[in-house]
Amino acid sequence: MLAACSQAQDGQSNNIEVSANQSGSGDAAHSIPMSGEYPVLPDGKLGRPVDWVEPHEPQLPSAATNMDAFGARYFAEYYLNLLAYSINTGNTTTLKKVSSPECKVCQSYVRKIENLDSNTDWVDSMRFKIDSFNSVELYPEESDLYLVEFLATSAPYVVYLDGELTSFEEERVLIQLDLRQANSEFTVNRFFAKERED
């Protein structure tokens, strides 16, 4: 989730709060107490919307396997979709594989997702759309590290955390990813995001 920007000491920005998954049930009976569109569970907490369906994990597009600027662009889009998927479901398996230990923000996202109670905390409708790419280029001093900068929009979404339901509005952000290529794969080495002024 993209909220107020906070700058980490290493120049990385961690401004996406994350929540984990609670498996929803699309077959809730009419006798289940409701609070708006959310079922009230026996423990008094809110469940996911009754029509919630767990999203499918994004698949790495074949274009993202090209170890060049073209591939880096497609991998950046894949990573953003994978991050949204992980936030919505709590499944960080693939996110961990494509996030370098050097990326402190990436590792922070993974920890936040994994540290939440998957039985009671959830996010609904977190997703991103890339509006445009500003640049995709190799760092001059490193032949295996790409800087990918793009403008993106996060759709409105809802977070249920520690018994509190919070709605977030659409947010427009500038994102920079450093992508390292090794063994015919990209990994994210740095993640920076800040709210756009436009």
Side-chain angles (χ1 to χ4, degrees), residues 12 19 29 41 57 60 72 79 104 112 116-117 149 151-152 159 164 168 174 176-177 181 184 190:
Q12 296 189 31
S19 295
L41 304 176
E57 180 172 341
L60 182 69
Y79 187 83
K104 293 180 181 179
K112 286 180 181 182
L116 292 168
D117 185 344
E149 181 178 285
L151 304 175
V159 177
E164 296 288 326
F168 290 86
L174 169 71
Q176 292 178 345
L177 299 179
Q181 63 181 62
S184 300
R190 183 181 67 95

Side-chain angles (χ1 to χ4, degrees), residues 1-6 13-19 80 83 87 105 108-109 112 126 128 157 173 175 191 193:
M1 293 166 281
L2 297 169
C5 181
S6 61
S13 172
N14 182 5
N15 57 358
I16 296 181
E17 301 168 19
V18 294
S19 295
L80 203 59
L83 178 60
I87 292 169
V105 171
S108 174
Y109 297 157
K112 286 180 181 182
M126 163 55 72
F128 299 99
Y157 59 95
V173 291
I175 297 176
F191 188 115

Side-chain angles (χ1 to χ4, degrees), residues 21-193:
N21 171 39
Q22 173 188 339
S23 293
S25 173
D27 59 354
H30 293 293
S31 62
I32 293 177
M34 300 289 288
S35 176
E37 63 182 292
Y38 307 101
V40 179
L41 304 176
D43 61 5
K45 297 188 181 292
L46 296 181
R48 290 183 180 273
V50 293
D51 60 351
W52 186 78
V53 176
E54 183 166 334
H56 295 287
E57 180 172 341
Q59 298 302 305
L60 182 69
S62 60
T65 62
N66 294 330
M67 295 294 103
D68 56 16
F70 177 79
R73 173 187 171 137
Y74 278 91
F75 184 87
E77 186 170 6
Y78 163 74
Y79 187 83
L80 203 59
N81 290 331
L82 183 63
L83 178 60
Y85 164 81
S86 297
I87 292 169
N88 283 322
T89 65
N91 181 348
T92 60
T93 303
T94 306
L95 186 66
K96 287 190 284 192
K97 289 178 184 175
V98 297
S99 300
S100 166
E102 295 175 32
C103 180
K104 293 180 181 179
V105 171
C106 304
Q107 298 308 317
S108 174
Y109 297 157
V110 169
R111 281 191 307 275
K112 286 180 181 182
I113 293 169
E114 293 180 339
N115 287 337
L116 292 168
D117 185 344
S118 63
N119 294 316
T120 58
D121 301 326
W122 48 265
V123 175
D124 184 34
S125 301
M126 163 55 72
R127 63 185 180 281
F128 299 99
K129 177 178 78 72
I130 293 181
D131 300 319
S132 64
F133 283 88
N134 291 348
S135 64
V136 181
E137 55 193 42
L138 272 172
Y139 278 94
E141 65 279 6
E142 300 193 52
S143 63
D144 63 348
L145 187 65
Y146 283 88
L147 168 64
V148 182
E149 181 178 285
F150 52 93
L151 304 175
T153 302
S154 67
Y157 59 95
V158 177
V159 177
Y160 188 70
L161 177 63
D162 297 329
E164 296 288 326
L165 186 66
T166 307
S167 297
F168 290 86
E169 298 298 320
E170 177 180 281
E171 186 174 20
R172 297 160 58 82
V173 291
L174 169 71
I175 297 176
Q176 292 178 345
L177 299 179
D178 284 356
L179 304 181
R180 172 93 49 202
Q181 63 181 62
N183 302 317
S184 300
E185 296 178 336
F186 285 111
T187 56
V188 178
N189 264 36
R190 183 181 67 95
F191 188 115
F192 173 84

